[in-house]
Amino acid sequence: MFKLVGLAVSAVVALAAGYSFSPRPLPAFAATAVQADRLLVTGVAQAGRRLLAVGEQGLILASEDGGGRWVPVPLARSRGSTLTAVAFADERH
């Protein structure tokens, strides 16, 4: 009798483990947008009317209208490191 109960418990554990590690479809996520008011910005530089802000997770934001609208700068490969400062050499560099 104990052998039968032990086999049943072992079967339930094996099935539960198989189910818990089985592949499942990812849930649908809502579209995300960068919200500049919810980011840690650690450095800002200005060149003419252009502003460049840097901060956590390697994020770089640019504004062409003096800070009215911010857009993320596309990078080839982000490293995810926090950027702490930014500077312009002149109005173009």
Side-chain angles (χ1 to χ4, degrees):
M1 181 68 177
F2 288 115
K3 189 174 185 180
L4 186 61
V5 172
L7 287 173
V9 170
S10 297
V12 169
V13 169
L15 289 173
Y19 175 75
S20 63
F21 290 106
S22 64
R24 293 181 188 77
L26 293 175
F29 292 106
T32 58
V34 174
Q35 297 176 352
D37 62 335
R38 298 183 190 270
L39 296 172
L40 174 63
V41 175
T42 56
V44 178
Q46 182 174 7
R49 289 196 44 84
R50 183 173 195 178
L51 290 170
L52 205 63
V54 297
E56 62 184 344
Q57 297 297 317
L59 186 70
I60 302 173
L61 300 172
S63 175
E64 300 290 338
D65 60 358
R69 182 172 176 269
W70 292 91
V71 294
V73 174
L75 300 173
R77 188 170 134 196
S78 176
R79 299 204 185 269
S81 300
T82 299
L83 302 174
T84 58
V86 62
F88 287 103
D90 57 32
E91 287 198 21
R92 294 190 61 208
H93 301 96

